[in-house]
Amino acid sequence: MGAFVRPIAGLMSLLSITALQKSFRSPEGERKTIVDVPAFTLAAGQQLALRGESGSGKTTFLHLIAGILAADSGSIHIDGRDMAALGESGRDRLRAESIGYIFQTFNLLQGYSVLENVMLGMAFGAGSDQTRAAAMLDRVGLSHRLKHYPRQLSTGQQQRVAVARALANHPKLVLADEPTGNLDHKNARESLALIRETCRENGAALLLVSHDPGVLASFEAVQDFSALNRADQEAAR
Amino acid sequence: MKTIGLIILRSLRQHLLSTTITALSIALAGGLLMSVWVVKVQSQTTFTQVNTGFDAVLGARGSKLQLVLNAIFHLEASPGNLAYSDYEFIRRHPAVKLAIPIAVGDNLRGYRIVGTGPELFSDVEYVPGRKFTLATGTLFNPAAKEAVLGDFVARKLGLHAGDTFHPFHGLIYDEKNQHAESYLVTGILAPSNTPADKVIWIPLHGLQTMAGHDPRAATDVSAVLIQLRSPTAGFMLDMMYNKQGNRLTFAYPIGAIMAELFNKIGWFDQVLTLISYLVALVSAGGVLVAIYNSMAARRRDIAILRALGARRRTIFSAIVLEAAAIGLLGMIAAFAAYAVILTGVATVIRNQTGVLLNTWAYNPVMLWAPLGMIALCALGGLLPAWKAYRTDIAGNLAPVS
Ligand SMILES: Nc1ncnc2c1ncn2[C@@H]1O[C@H](COP(=O)(O)OP(=O)(O)OP(=O)(O)O)[C@@H](O)[C@H]1O
Ligand SMILES: [Mg+2]
């Protein structure tokens, strides 16, 4: 593991967040701050789990890091580039090139084959590479399912496609949002192990959020999201 | 680009039913547009060029158009007869190269029997360089009760050389009005794709003296088909017959008289053209509605693609190009619709006039209609594409919580 942690002086970390804020307008019309993270860092190749209650803003936090949502203020440095300072298409590009995202509901494209799903994970970054896509699917044990469609796969197999897709493009950072939330106990354990191993093999850092004690227990490094997020602390009070 | 292609293809497949239906409506609209256009242009050029080798027609006082339709196209009623002396006079006129009399007034099951002289078959080039030829048999003997049939009418009536028939009186078929005379078919003409194909040709004398015809008019002719020595001769005769005289009508030039007909019915194909433009517009609107209505179902896919790093403009282009692709598919099918419509129209025109339209002659509409339709569809794609462009990623990524 140590091989992937490159200690660079000053900008040592792969992901470095400062004074990140995001608020939403509630249905009643008042602004509500959901994310208020003064500082957060993740080293290259590091694997970290964030523990947080439902509604505490974990998904919002990951969406901000991925550039799916625009931050209100603050900075999100990923591999030297500030996601929070980029415009919409700049964020799309940085996400396509540097980030792999694993969703709780997998979010596979139903109209595309398994292989095409994985290739689309690469298409908007460095470009599709069928050999690489097939190799990733082989790695997650689906080499015989390339031409299948997501609905023809079991839930556990679908999540493995999602894992292959997130890692196909050699991302430096993988974000996983309750990746095992829809899986049964056995599948969840296997899937989690697969995510962690493949991230390690591909040199990607992993930031995972969950409120499942079973998942959190398997991580060496676990942080409380409520300790990180000042908005959450206020809400809790 | 390869990725956009894949996205479009998969999207077309995912919405196969609406893709097919909208493409079919485009096909119908495009086929209609091209057909209306081609029929308009083709019939105009064809009918103003068809003169079966003559420059002018001389007939009874009346409408020039009626004279031309009756004598050249074998349509409409005859405006009346002229005396044999009138025929003799024009035949001898120094400005006239060739004058062939015709007489009408009988039919065989609705197909016209026209009396004429053998010169029509020996001396006249119905298009430059081509004379009527016999496919089978021989020409009628001008003194006998014999007939030569146009190719079309021979096939329609199933008559062959050696068969006989009894003519019916009048231009309109009425089974009670059968003549007693029996005519022998001596030959069938090779197809000329002119009105001559649907005519039963018999000797002039035969028609004039058919039992039951007014014996006082037995030497009258219905019209004289004329070849002139020069165009100026035409204007001179026009002056003589139409301005100075008041007994006869000299129809010249035939092409201009037919063009007048098309001017008269011009409003009709303007209406048709307008309708086909509207149908095209509506079907392009159909593409808009089809894609727009499926936006709810597409939103999740769009959000996923965006989450994978697809740019807004990529999604936008994919939708616009998908709309254009539906237009393209539709326009490919439109050529099939065009073929069906035009074959039908050409058959009707051939049945009615004997004239064959050149269905697949190149017409610029075959280029601009597909391009225009595809552009219109792409235009229709702009609105849903804009909606796709604005799709919120976070809000559409799966049912959260
Ligand atoms: N677009 C939005 N508009 C308004 N409020 C929002 C919006 N998105 C999220 N929120 C609110 O922000 C809060 C945090 O949502 P988020 O999805 O980040 O929570 P979470 O920690 O991921 O919860 P869970 O564990 O249930 O997934 C919730 O109270 C939610 O209602
Ligand atoms: Mg969440």
Side-chain angles (χ1 to χ4, degrees), chain A residues 26-48:
Chain A
S26 71
E28 296 81 51
E30 47 174 322
R31 285 226 150 259
K32 214 174 143 223
T33 303
I34 301 298
V35 171
D36 181 1
V37 176
F40 176 78
T41 58
L42 191 71
Q46 190 188 343
Q47 300 199 339
L48 177 71

Side-chain angles (χ1 to χ4, degrees), chain A residues 67 70-71 76 81-95:
Chain A
I76 307 166
R81 281 182 289 179
D82 184 2
M83 184 68 94
L86 292 170
E88 178 106 23
S89 76
R91 295 203 306 273
D92 293 336
R93 182 182 296 266
L94 182 52
R95 173 168 67 254

Side-chain angles (χ1 to χ4, degrees), chain B residues 17-51:
Chain B
L17 186 67
S18 85
T19 299
T20 313
I21 289 171
T22 41
L24 280 180
S25 82
I26 300 275
L28 221 60
L32 193 66
L33 183 66
M34 294 194 290
S35 302
V36 166
W37 202 268
V38 169
V39 167
K40 179 172 86 175
V41 172
Q42 271 279 319
S43 54
Q44 201 151 348
T45 51
T46 311
F47 281 94
T48 51
Q49 277 164 13
V50 167
N51 55 23

Side-chain angles (χ1 to χ4, degrees), chain B residues 22-105:
Chain B
T22 41
L24 280 180
S25 82
I26 300 275
L28 221 60
L32 193 66
L33 183 66
M34 294 194 290
S35 302
V36 166
W37 202 268
V38 169
V39 167
K40 179 172 86 175
V41 172
Q42 271 279 319
S43 54
Q44 201 151 348
T45 51
T46 311
F47 281 94
T48 51
Q49 277 164 13
V50 167
N51 55 23
T52 52
F54 295 97
D55 302 314
V57 180
L58 182 66
R61 194 69 172 176
S63 140
K64 289 179 182 177
L65 179 60
Q66 191 187 351
L67 195 55
V68 168
L69 288 176
N70 180 59
I72 303 285
F73 289 92
H74 308 293
L75 298 166
E76 293 276 325
S78 167
N81 287 352
L82 24 59
Y84 199 72
S85 55
D86 289 322
Y87 159 62
E88 289 282 280
F89 176 82
I90 191 111
R91 185 168 67 86
R92 299 230 174 82
H93 198 283
V96 171
K97 194 163 93 189
L98 181 69
I100 297 179
I102 59 164
V104 300

Side-chain angles (χ1 to χ4, degrees), chain A residues 24-25 34 53-60 178 211, chain B residues 400-401:
Chain A
F24 287 117
R25 198 176 289 280
I34 301 298
E53 291 309 307
S54 181
S56 59
K58 303 183 297 295
T59 298
T60 307
E178 306 273 16
H211 51 51
Chain B
V400 200
S401 89

Side-chain angles (χ1 to χ4, degrees), chain B residues 323-342:
Chain B
I326 293 175
L328 177 70
L329 290 174
M331 286 315 290
I332 291 171
F335 280 93
Y338 167 83
V340 170
I341 297 174
L342 223 64

Side-chain angles (χ1 to χ4, degrees), chain A residues 88 95 105 107 111 116 149, chain B residues 10 13 300 306-307 311 398:
Chain A
E88 178 106 23
R95 173 168 67 254
T105 47
N107 279 330
E116 285 166 350
Y149 285 82
Chain B
R10 289 290 173 268
R13 196 180 64 177
R300 178 145 184 263
R306 291 290 315 279
R311 251 129 277 173

